[in-house]
Amino acid sequence: MGSSALTTRGQVGQRPRRAVLYSHDTFGLGHLRRSRALASALTQSGTVGSAIILTGSPVAGRFTFPAGVDHVRLPGVKKLADGTYISQNSGMDLETTTSLREGLINSTIAHYEPDLLIVDKEPTGFRGEMLPILEKLNAAGRTQIILGLRDVLDKPEVLANEWDRKGAIEATERFYNELWVYGPKSVYDPTKGLPLSQSARDRIVWTGYLRRAIIDPADVPDRPYILVTPGGGGDGEAMVDLVLKAYEQDPTLGPQAVLVYGPFLSGDTRDAFETRVAALDGRVTATGFDSRIEALFAGAQGVICMGGYNTFCEVLSFDQRAVIVPRTKPRLEQWIRANRAEELGLVRNLDEFRDGLTTESMIAAIRGLPHQQRPSQAGADGLLDGLDVVIERAQRLMGAQLSDAAE
């Protein structure tokens, strides 16, 4: 291969560079929304000409994707309360679903021939479904393979046991050119407690948080409001209930609240909430799901939310005063993030272990929102370089690979 192999940025020979982003998406919106943010940055910067997101999210079709970004919907699975999984399609057992997912992954990547593969969170994929394609790509040596990790995964000892059980340490050591942690090391180290070799640790890149922007403009209320969002909503019932109780108990509580349930809040639960919202005479308004939630973040006076990674990035990006009500089961991820963010002065953590999740504590939190400092006052702007670092690392890795090939 001659020196013409590397032409303009984003191209290999005459073919634009391509990226695949895999997210298993067994629960919630987080993995899909993170992958969409990364794919958008890579294509809009010209780093790649196109990108495909492999996702198991059942609501992928309700999002808009920028030019150059498409998605392949993998058959969905859902996690039960006991930690086991079942197929979302009642006509297929889990083994059949996993086999079909693996076939789609292999076929898509084999035909698309990506120059960059970013695997989100799970080094081996759901039930090991990524291992066959990782073996092939590693042997071929033409694709830069990245493991992307959010800032917090779980308690170190819990994570170490999980990765040992899944063979994730071995996969990380063998297959991944770099590990991108989407947060700053000064906030938290998600690999703490993992028995990674020094060689693997030397491949860790701390990108910083992934800055968010308004992707799709949307109408927002004319009156002052606080945004209440449980993210995907699948585990947000307790937080929503607490906010409604606060407005029910204190008729002077304001400003009005805009509640976004999330697509995974159960229908029966939502119906019961709707009855309560209607009785509040406009002090709380609600919508089921809004893929354009960035605009609501930007226009709010403050935010009451759970502690998922994407929501936290939006709090920082839109410089919002926020009260985080983190879930503590099945993982402590959100609590660890919220607790550390509070230590840094970025948010307030409504900690069930310290404050108690009472109506009184929520009323006090809402009343205190206007008096909190904004994240920028605690230095949040310096934490949000993630997308710039991702672009720079992707360009360098693919450029270096092409230079090696040309020689």
Side-chain angles (χ1 to χ4, degrees):
M1 186 180 296
S3 60
S4 62
L6 181 56
T7 58
T8 59
R9 187 176 66 171
Q11 292 192 343
V12 180
Q14 298 305 308
R15 174 175 76 74
R17 290 175 181 160
R18 299 169 178 171
V20 166
L21 298 94
Y22 162 86
S23 63
H24 65 295
D25 284 298
T26 57
F27 183 73
L29 294 173
H31 305 288
L32 171 62
R33 296 190 66 215
R34 184 160 53 247
S35 294
R36 184 178 70 152
L38 291 164
S40 298
L42 290 168
T43 54
Q44 290 173 7
S45 66
T47 302
V48 298
S50 63
I52 288 178
I53 298 173
L54 297 169
T55 174
S57 172
V59 296
R62 296 168 68 177
F63 283 89
T64 59
F65 294 89
V69 179
D70 208 339
H71 71 282
V72 172
R73 168 78 162 88
L74 304 174
V77 296
K78 55 185 178 181
K79 193 173 187 177
L80 302 179
D82 63 1
T84 60
Y85 291 91
I86 61 172
S87 173
Q88 285 184 336
N89 185 332
S90 59
M92 290 193 297
D93 60 28
L94 188 59
E95 293 298 327
T96 303
T97 299
T98 305
S99 178
L100 181 54
R101 286 171 59 104
E102 185 179 311
L104 284 169
I105 291 167
N106 276 272
S107 177
T108 299
I109 292 179
H111 286 87
Y112 190 61
E113 298 182 331
D115 305 286
L116 180 70
L117 170 65
I118 302 176
V119 175
D120 190 72
K121 182 181 174 287
E122 296 286 347
T124 63
F126 175 67
R127 302 186 84 217
E129 65 188 359
M130 287 298 293
L131 289 173
I133 198 66
L134 288 172
E135 290 273 10
K136 293 175 186 175
L137 293 178
N138 185 57
R142 293 190 298 269
T143 302
Q144 293 293 319
I145 307 174
I146 307 300
L147 176 62
L149 301 174
R150 63 184 183 230
D151 59 338
V152 181
L153 295 171
D154 206 339
K155 290 176 62 178
E157 59 272 23
V158 173
L159 184 66
N161 290 333
E162 179 183 329
W163 276 42
D164 179 65
R165 186 175 70 252
K166 294 179 177 179
I169 293 292
E170 180 185 357
T172 300
E173 299 278 357
R174 285 186 60 198
F175 298 126
Y176 290 95
N177 298 96
E178 286 189 349
L179 289 70
W180 293 349
V181 177
Y182 304 128
K185 192 174 185 179
S186 60
V187 174
Y188 194 77
D189 180 357
T191 68
K192 184 166 52 177
L194 292 178
L196 292 170
S197 69
Q198 189 57 49
S199 173
R201 292 195 174 277
D202 289 343
R203 301 197 298 274
I204 296 177
V205 175
W206 303 87
T207 71
Y209 289 108
L210 306 179
R211 189 184 295 274
R212 302 306 164 87
I214 297 176
I215 299 174
D216 303 304
D219 293 332
V220 299
D222 294 329
R223 294 185 295 167
Y225 67 92
I226 62 170
L227 175 64
V228 180
T229 171
D235 55 358
E237 179 179 348
M239 189 201 79
V240 173
D241 176 64
L242 199 58
V243 170
L244 292 179
K245 283 179 177 176
Y247 278 87
E248 289 164 345
Q249 181 169 307
D250 186 345
T252 68
L253 189 61
Q256 81 173 80
V258 174
L259 168 60
V260 181
Y261 291 121
F264 302 119
L265 192 76
S266 74
D268 291 343
T269 301
R270 179 178 162 181
D271 288 345
F273 284 155
E274 288 285 271
T275 300
R276 294 168 64 185
V277 167
L280 288 168
D281 295 326
R283 294 171 59 223
V284 177
T285 58
T287 183
F289 171 59
D290 197 329
S291 62
R292 302 168 298 177
I293 198 168
E294 294 92 352
L296 289 170
F297 259 96
Q301 290 198 325
V303 180
I304 307 290
C305 59
M306 294 183 68
Y309 177 85
N310 291 282
T311 301
F312 185 60
C313 285
E314 284 155 346
V315 166
L316 299 185
S317 298
F318 297 111
D319 201 21
Q320 277 295 354
R321 300 178 176 96
V323 173
I324 293 182
V325 188
R327 74 173 183 224
T328 56
K329 296 178 181 178
R331 298 181 182 274
L332 276 178
E333 168 223 341
Q334 292 193 5
W335 182 87
I336 293 170
R337 179 180 297 114
N339 187 60
R340 182 68 180 125
E342 184 179 66
E343 289 177 354
L344 295 171
L346 298 166
V347 302
R348 178 178 172 196
N349 175 22
L350 192 61
D351 186 344
E352 68 174 272
F353 304 118
R354 179 192 65 198
D355 307 312
L357 297 183
T358 65
T359 306
E360 290 73 22
S361 67
M362 179 57 77
I363 291 172
I366 294 173
R367 288 198 177 280
L369 253 182
H371 308 293
Q372 289 181 210
Q373 68 175 4
R374 293 187 181 275
S376 60
Q377 294 173 274
D381 288 346
L383 306 177
L384 286 161
D385 295 329
L387 293 176
D388 292 336
V389 174
V390 162
I391 290 167
E392 185 273 329
R393 289 309 307 164
Q395 291 175 354
R396 180 171 296 187
L397 285 169
M398 290 188 289
Q401 185 180 37
L402 289 168
S403 298
D404 291 344
E407 295 172 0

